[in-house]
Amino acid sequence: MRVDSTLQARYYRVNYDTAFIGRPQQRLTLRARAKASGNSLHTDTELEGKKLYANLHTKTRATLYLGANYRGISAGVSLNPASFKKKNSDYEFNVNIFTNRYNIEASYQDAHTLSGTIKIDGTPYHIPIGLVHTKIFQLTGCYTFNHRRFSWPAAFTQSYIQKRSAGSWLIGFAYQAGSLKINTELFNEPWKGRIYMGDLAVGGGYAHNFVWHRKWLVHLSLIPMLIVLNRNNITVNGERIDFPTHFPEMLLSEHLAVVYNFSHKYFLCFNAKGNSNIFVKNKHYSRQSQWQTQLSFGMRI
């Protein structure tokens, strides 16, 4: 009872404008969710006097999730059906923290299913699954200036309710580190490549929650960030080429959410997010993107 009392006091603490934001009346929220995610890489550059073009993407990862939230404390379990059939050995770890004032999202991905096409001086080579190994860590966060009237949790965790439409300017940061290794034993000559990415970016953007008839909530946000520090490089057959920070080099953080409340107890939510790293310099262009979509059904009791 003492723990519950402490959680209740924390959960219903009012530090926001109650005309725009509120808490659900129910203590417990149960949720079932299906998630899909993936990663892609597009590169167009020139190395060792040869034109290199790559268009690679991972297999879509699908997971199922069951979870519960009691007065703001969440726990759940998820599984990937494809892992039981050994059709997808990729794994991903995510941590998301959404509050009205700020949000922080971290992810780590280890993938062996990157495949697609590489062209060297116009000659195409098919890259099958298993030839490329990529590891990527991403950390993004932002501060919400209008946090007394605008709520991130209302759109993504439903632990708050957005009563009226509101928006906010944002200031954000992002850090990304990762590597992509290619062992090109398929070619007529030995050719091994490694792409390393290490970027720190800062910027600002805008987010808005649109509310219609108290049942519909649509969230849109975009944060473009300029990379202020990087350690990007490409190594081909032992030769390393560094790419110092060069304008315009950007990271984009995008969010979309649509929530429909059937009643005070039941809701349906779709949300999507994407992070893209865009680098342009002279004869080099690259874009690395991660995306994630979720569809969930929830019940408050």
mmCIF file with all atom_site columns, all heavy atoms in Angstrom, residues 59-73:
data_model
loop_
_atom_site.group_PDB
_atom_site.id
_atom_site.type_symbol
_atom_site.label_atom_id
_atom_site.label_alt_id
_atom_site.label_comp_id
_atom_site.label_asym_id
_atom_site.label_entity_id
_atom_site.label_seq_id
_atom_site.pdbx_PDB_ins_code
_atom_site.Cartn_x
_atom_site.Cartn_y
_atom_site.Cartn_z
_atom_site.occupancy
_atom_site.B_iso_or_equiv
_atom_site.pdbx_formal_charge
_atom_site.auth_seq_id
_atom_site.auth_comp_id
_atom_site.auth_asym_id
_atom_site.auth_atom_id
_atom_site.pdbx_PDB_model_num
ATOM 1   N N   . LYS A 1 59 ? 16.606 -7.686  -44.076 1.00 0.00 ? 59 LYS A N   1
ATOM 2   C CA  . LYS A 1 59 ? 15.267 -8.273  -44.070 1.00 0.00 ? 59 LYS A CA  1
ATOM 3   C C   . LYS A 1 59 ? 14.436 -7.595  -42.982 1.00 0.00 ? 59 LYS A C   1
ATOM 4   O O   . LYS A 1 59 ? 14.960 -7.192  -41.941 1.00 0.00 ? 59 LYS A O   1
ATOM 5   C CB  . LYS A 1 59 ? 15.341 -9.778  -43.791 1.00 0.00 ? 59 LYS A CB  1
ATOM 6   C CG  . LYS A 1 59 ? 15.972 -10.594 -44.906 1.00 0.00 ? 59 LYS A CG  1
ATOM 7   C CD  . LYS A 1 59 ? 15.932 -12.078 -44.591 1.00 0.00 ? 59 LYS A CD  1
ATOM 8   C CE  . LYS A 1 59 ? 14.510 -12.610 -44.558 1.00 0.00 ? 59 LYS A CE  1
ATOM 9   N NZ  . LYS A 1 59 ? 14.472 -14.076 -44.360 1.00 0.00 ? 59 LYS A NZ  1
ATOM 10  N N   . THR A 1 60 ? 13.158 -7.475  -43.229 1.00 0.00 ? 60 THR A N   1
ATOM 11  C CA  . THR A 1 60 ? 12.267 -6.863  -42.242 1.00 0.00 ? 60 THR A CA  1
ATOM 12  C C   . THR A 1 60 ? 12.139 -7.772  -41.023 1.00 0.00 ? 60 THR A C   1
ATOM 13  O O   . THR A 1 60 ? 11.886 -8.966  -41.150 1.00 0.00 ? 60 THR A O   1
ATOM 14  C CB  . THR A 1 60 ? 10.878 -6.614  -42.852 1.00 0.00 ? 60 THR A CB  1
ATOM 15  O OG1 . THR A 1 60 ? 11.012 -5.731  -43.964 1.00 0.00 ? 60 THR A OG1 1
ATOM 16  C CG2 . THR A 1 60 ? 9.936  -5.997  -41.832 1.00 0.00 ? 60 THR A CG2 1
ATOM 17  N N   . ARG A 1 61 ? 12.364 -7.184  -39.852 1.00 0.00 ? 61 ARG A N   1
ATOM 18  C CA  . ARG A 1 61 ? 12.223 -7.933  -38.606 1.00 0.00 ? 61 ARG A CA  1
ATOM 19  C C   . ARG A 1 61 ? 10.833 -7.673  -38.034 1.00 0.00 ? 61 ARG A C   1
ATOM 20  O O   . ARG A 1 61 ? 10.404 -6.520  -37.926 1.00 0.00 ? 61 ARG A O   1
ATOM 21  C CB  . ARG A 1 61 ? 13.283 -7.502  -37.588 1.00 0.00 ? 61 ARG A CB  1
ATOM 22  C CG  . ARG A 1 61 ? 14.683 -7.872  -37.971 1.00 0.00 ? 61 ARG A CG  1
ATOM 23  C CD  . ARG A 1 61 ? 15.692 -7.337  -36.966 1.00 0.00 ? 61 ARG A CD  1
ATOM 24  N NE  . ARG A 1 61 ? 15.633 -5.877  -36.887 1.00 0.00 ? 61 ARG A NE  1
ATOM 25  C CZ  . ARG A 1 61 ? 16.213 -5.074  -37.759 1.00 0.00 ? 61 ARG A CZ  1
ATOM 26  N NH1 . ARG A 1 61 ? 16.862 -5.572  -38.791 1.00 0.00 ? 61 ARG A NH1 1
ATOM 27  N NH2 . ARG A 1 61 ? 16.126 -3.763  -37.628 1.00 0.00 ? 61 ARG A NH2 1
ATOM 28  N N   . ALA A 1 62 ? 10.145 -8.740  -37.668 1.00 0.00 ? 62 ALA A N   1
ATOM 29  C CA  . ALA A 1 62 ? 8.801  -8.616  -37.101 1.00 0.00 ? 62 ALA A CA  1
ATOM 30  C C   . ALA A 1 62 ? 8.776  -9.237  -35.713 1.00 0.00 ? 62 ALA A C   1
ATOM 31  O O   . ALA A 1 62 ? 9.295  -10.343 -35.504 1.00 0.00 ? 62 ALA A O   1
ATOM 32  C CB  . ALA A 1 62 ? 7.776  -9.307  -38.000 1.00 0.00 ? 62 ALA A CB  1
ATOM 33  N N   . THR A 1 63 ? 8.210  -8.525  -34.746 1.00 0.00 ? 63 THR A N   1
ATOM 34  C CA  . THR A 1 63 ? 8.112  -9.027  -33.382 1.00 0.00 ? 63 THR A CA  1
ATOM 35  C C   . THR A 1 63 ? 6.705  -8.813  -32.845 1.00 0.00 ? 63 THR A C   1
ATOM 36  O O   . THR A 1 63 ? 5.985  -7.913  -33.286 1.00 0.00 ? 63 THR A O   1
ATOM 37  C CB  . THR A 1 63 ? 9.112  -8.327  -32.439 1.00 0.00 ? 63 THR A CB  1
ATOM 38  O OG1 . THR A 1 63 ? 8.865  -6.917  -32.459 1.00 0.00 ? 63 THR A OG1 1
ATOM 39  C CG2 . THR A 1 63 ? 10.542 -8.594  -32.870 1.00 0.00 ? 63 THR A CG2 1
ATOM 40  N N   . LEU A 1 64 ? 6.332  -9.644  -31.884 1.00 0.00 ? 64 LEU A N   1
ATOM 41  C CA  . LEU A 1 64 ? 5.068  -9.525  -31.176 1.00 0.00 ? 64 LEU A CA  1
ATOM 42  C C   . LEU A 1 64 ? 5.351  -9.216  -29.717 1.00 0.00 ? 64 LEU A C   1
ATOM 43  O O   . LEU A 1 64 ? 6.318  -9.736  -29.146 1.00 0.00 ? 64 LEU A O   1
ATOM 44  C CB  . LEU A 1 64 ? 4.257  -10.818 -31.294 1.00 0.00 ? 64 LEU A CB  1
ATOM 45  C CG  . LEU A 1 64 ? 3.914  -11.271 -32.721 1.00 0.00 ? 64 LEU A CG  1
ATOM 46  C CD1 . LEU A 1 64 ? 3.221  -12.627 -32.686 1.00 0.00 ? 64 LEU A CD1 1
ATOM 47  C CD2 . LEU A 1 64 ? 3.046  -10.239 -33.427 1.00 0.00 ? 64 LEU A CD2 1
ATOM 48  N N   . TYR A 1 65 ? 4.504  -8.384  -29.107 1.00 0.00 ? 65 TYR A N   1
ATOM 49  C CA  . TYR A 1 65 ? 4.777  -7.900  -27.759 1.00 0.00 ? 65 TYR A CA  1
ATOM 50  C C   . TYR A 1 65 ? 3.510  -7.918  -26.927 1.00 0.00 ? 65 TYR A C   1
ATOM 51  O O   . TYR A 1 65 ? 2.421  -7.569  -27.404 1.00 0.00 ? 65 TYR A O   1
ATOM 52  C CB  . TYR A 1 65 ? 5.332  -6.473  -27.842 1.00 0.00 ? 65 TYR A CB  1
ATOM 53  C CG  . TYR A 1 65 ? 5.406  -5.720  -26.535 1.00 0.00 ? 65 TYR A CG  1
ATOM 54  C CD1 . TYR A 1 65 ? 6.551  -5.779  -25.734 1.00 0.00 ? 65 TYR A CD1 1
ATOM 55  C CD2 . TYR A 1 65 ? 4.340  -4.932  -26.087 1.00 0.00 ? 65 TYR A CD2 1
ATOM 56  C CE1 . TYR A 1 65 ? 6.623  -5.081  -24.536 1.00 0.00 ? 65 TYR A CE1 1
ATOM 57  C CE2 . TYR A 1 65 ? 4.415  -4.237  -24.895 1.00 0.00 ? 65 TYR A CE2 1
ATOM 58  C CZ  . TYR A 1 65 ? 5.553  -4.307  -24.121 1.00 0.00 ? 65 TYR A CZ  1
ATOM 59  O OH  . TYR A 1 65 ? 5.618  -3.622  -22.947 1.00 0.00 ? 65 TYR A OH  1
ATOM 60  N N   . LEU A 1 66 ? 3.658  -8.317  -25.664 1.00 0.00 ? 66 LEU A N   1
ATOM 61  C CA  . LEU A 1 66 ? 2.596  -8.209  -24.674 1.00 0.00 ? 66 LEU A CA  1
ATOM 62  C C   . LEU A 1 66 ? 3.173  -7.495  -23.461 1.00 0.00 ? 66 LEU A C   1
ATOM 63  O O   . LEU A 1 66 ? 4.253  -7.856  -22.977 1.00 0.00 ? 66 LEU A O   1
ATOM 64  C CB  . LEU A 1 66 ? 2.072  -9.591  -24.264 1.00 0.00 ? 66 LEU A CB  1
ATOM 65  C CG  . LEU A 1 66 ? 1.322  -10.380 -25.325 1.00 0.00 ? 66 LEU A CG  1
ATOM 66  C CD1 . LEU A 1 66 ? 0.995  -11.783 -24.804 1.00 0.00 ? 66 LEU A CD1 1
ATOM 67  C CD2 . LEU A 1 66 ? 0.035  -9.670  -25.730 1.00 0.00 ? 66 LEU A CD2 1
ATOM 68  N N   . GLY A 1 67 ? 2.473  -6.467  -22.976 1.00 0.00 ? 67 GLY A N   1
ATOM 69  C CA  . GLY A 1 67 ? 3.023  -5.713  -21.863 1.00 0.00 ? 67 GLY A CA  1
ATOM 70  C C   . GLY A 1 67 ? 1.958  -5.065  -21.009 1.00 0.00 ? 67 GLY A C   1
ATOM 71  O O   . GLY A 1 67 ? 0.768  -5.061  -21.342 1.00 0.00 ? 67 GLY A O   1
ATOM 72  N N   . ALA A 1 68 ? 2.392  -4.520  -19.885 1.00 0.00 ? 68 ALA A N   1
ATOM 73  C CA  . ALA A 1 68 ? 1.490  -3.859  -18.943 1.00 0.00 ? 68 ALA A CA  1
ATOM 74  C C   . ALA A 1 68 ? 2.182  -2.622  -18.389 1.00 0.00 ? 68 ALA A C   1
ATOM 75  O O   . ALA A 1 68 ? 3.407  -2.588  -18.233 1.00 0.00 ? 68 ALA A O   1
ATOM 76  C CB  . ALA A 1 68 ? 1.115  -4.806  -17.804 1.00 0.00 ? 68 ALA A CB  1
ATOM 77  N N   . ASN A 1 69 ? 1.372  -1.611  -18.093 1.00 0.00 ? 69 ASN A N   1
ATOM 78  C CA  . ASN A 1 69 ? 1.860  -0.372  -17.506 1.00 0.00 ? 69 ASN A CA  1
ATOM 79  C C   . ASN A 1 69 ? 1.005  -0.058  -16.286 1.00 0.00 ? 69 ASN A C   1
ATOM 80  O O   . ASN A 1 69 ? -0.214 0.106   -16.406 1.00 0.00 ? 69 ASN A O   1
ATOM 81  C CB  . ASN A 1 69 ? 1.780  0.762   -18.535 1.00 0.00 ? 69 ASN A CB  1
ATOM 82  C CG  . ASN A 1 69 ? 2.335  2.071   -17.998 1.00 0.00 ? 69 ASN A CG  1
ATOM 83  O OD1 . ASN A 1 69 ? 1.899  2.588   -16.973 1.00 0.00 ? 69 ASN A OD1 1
ATOM 84  N ND2 . ASN A 1 69 ? 3.287  2.638   -18.714 1.00 0.00 ? 69 ASN A ND2 1
ATOM 85  N N   . TYR A 1 70 ? 1.640  0.011   -15.113 1.00 0.00 ? 70 TYR A N   1
ATOM 86  C CA  . TYR A 1 70 ? 0.928  0.324   -13.877 1.00 0.00 ? 70 TYR A CA  1
ATOM 87  C C   . TYR A 1 70 ? 1.445  1.634   -13.319 1.00 0.00 ? 70 TYR A C   1
ATOM 88  O O   . TYR A 1 70 ? 2.594  1.725   -12.890 1.00 0.00 ? 70 TYR A O   1
ATOM 89  C CB  . TYR A 1 70 ? 1.103  -0.797  -12.848 1.00 0.00 ? 70 TYR A CB  1
ATOM 90  C CG  . TYR A 1 70 ? 0.334  -0.558  -11.565 1.00 0.00 ? 70 TYR A CG  1
ATOM 91  C CD1 . TYR A 1 70 ? -1.034 -0.771  -11.513 1.00 0.00 ? 70 TYR A CD1 1
ATOM 92  C CD2 . TYR A 1 70 ? 0.983  -0.093  -10.422 1.00 0.00 ? 70 TYR A CD2 1
ATOM 93  C CE1 . TYR A 1 70 ? -1.751 -0.545  -10.339 1.00 0.00 ? 70 TYR A CE1 1
ATOM 94  C CE2 . TYR A 1 70 ? 0.290  0.139   -9.251  1.00 0.00 ? 70 TYR A CE2 1
ATOM 95  C CZ  . TYR A 1 70 ? -1.081 -0.092  -9.222  1.00 0.00 ? 70 TYR A CZ  1
ATOM 96  O OH  . TYR A 1 70 ? -1.798 0.155   -8.054  1.00 0.00 ? 70 TYR A OH  1
ATOM 97  N N   . ARG A 1 71 ? 0.610  2.657   -13.397 1.00 0.00 ? 71 ARG A N   1
ATOM 98  C CA  . ARG A 1 71 ? 0.961  3.983   -12.892 1.00 0.00 ? 71 ARG A CA  1
ATOM 99  C C   . ARG A 1 71 ? 2.320  4.462   -13.405 1.00 0.00 ? 71 ARG A C   1
ATOM 100 O O   . ARG A 1 71 ? 3.147  4.999   -12.669 1.00 0.00 ? 71 ARG A O   1
ATOM 101 C CB  . ARG A 1 71 ? 0.948  4.003   -11.368 1.00 0.00 ? 71 ARG A CB  1
ATOM 102 C CG  . ARG A 1 71 ? -0.415 3.691   -10.738 1.00 0.00 ? 71 ARG A CG  1
ATOM 103 C CD  . ARG A 1 71 ? -0.418 4.120   -9.289  1.00 0.00 ? 71 ARG A CD  1
ATOM 104 N NE  . ARG A 1 71 ? -1.594 3.687   -8.550  1.00 0.00 ? 71 ARG A NE  1
ATOM 105 C CZ  . ARG A 1 71 ? -2.788 4.275   -8.591  1.00 0.00 ? 71 ARG A CZ  1
ATOM 106 N NH1 . ARG A 1 71 ? -2.991 5.306   -9.386  1.00 0.00 ? 71 ARG A NH1 1
ATOM 107 N NH2 . ARG A 1 71 ? -3.789 3.832   -7.840  1.00 0.00 ? 71 ARG A NH2 1
ATOM 108 N N   . GLY A 1 72 ? 2.564  4.244   -14.699 1.00 0.00 ? 72 GLY A N   1
ATOM 109 C CA  . GLY A 1 72 ? 3.784  4.751   -15.317 1.00 0.00 ? 72 GLY A CA  1
ATOM 110 C C   . GLY A 1 72 ? 4.961  3.796   -15.313 1.00 0.00 ? 72 GLY A C   1
ATOM 111 O O   . GLY A 1 72 ? 5.997  4.086   -15.921 1.00 0.00 ? 72 GLY A O   1
ATOM 112 N N   . ILE A 1 73 ? 4.860  2.637   -14.645 1.00 0.00 ? 73 ILE A N   1
ATOM 113 C CA  . ILE A 1 73 ? 5.921  1.635   -14.629 1.00 0.00 ? 73 ILE A CA  1
ATOM 114 C C   . ILE A 1 73 ? 5.533  0.509   -15.585 1.00 0.00 ? 73 ILE A C   1
ATOM 115 O O   . ILE A 1 73 ? 4.478  -0.109  -15.415 1.00 0.00 ? 73 ILE A O   1
ATOM 116 C CB  . ILE A 1 73 ? 6.156  1.067   -13.222 1.00 0.00 ? 73 ILE A CB  1
ATOM 117 C CG1 . ILE A 1 73 ? 6.417  2.215   -12.228 1.00 0.00 ? 73 ILE A CG1 1
ATOM 118 C CG2 . ILE A 1 73 ? 7.304  0.087   -13.229 1.00 0.00 ? 73 ILE A CG2 1
ATOM 119 C CD1 . ILE A 1 73 ? 7.640  3.024   -12.547 1.00 0.00 ? 73 ILE A CD1 1
#
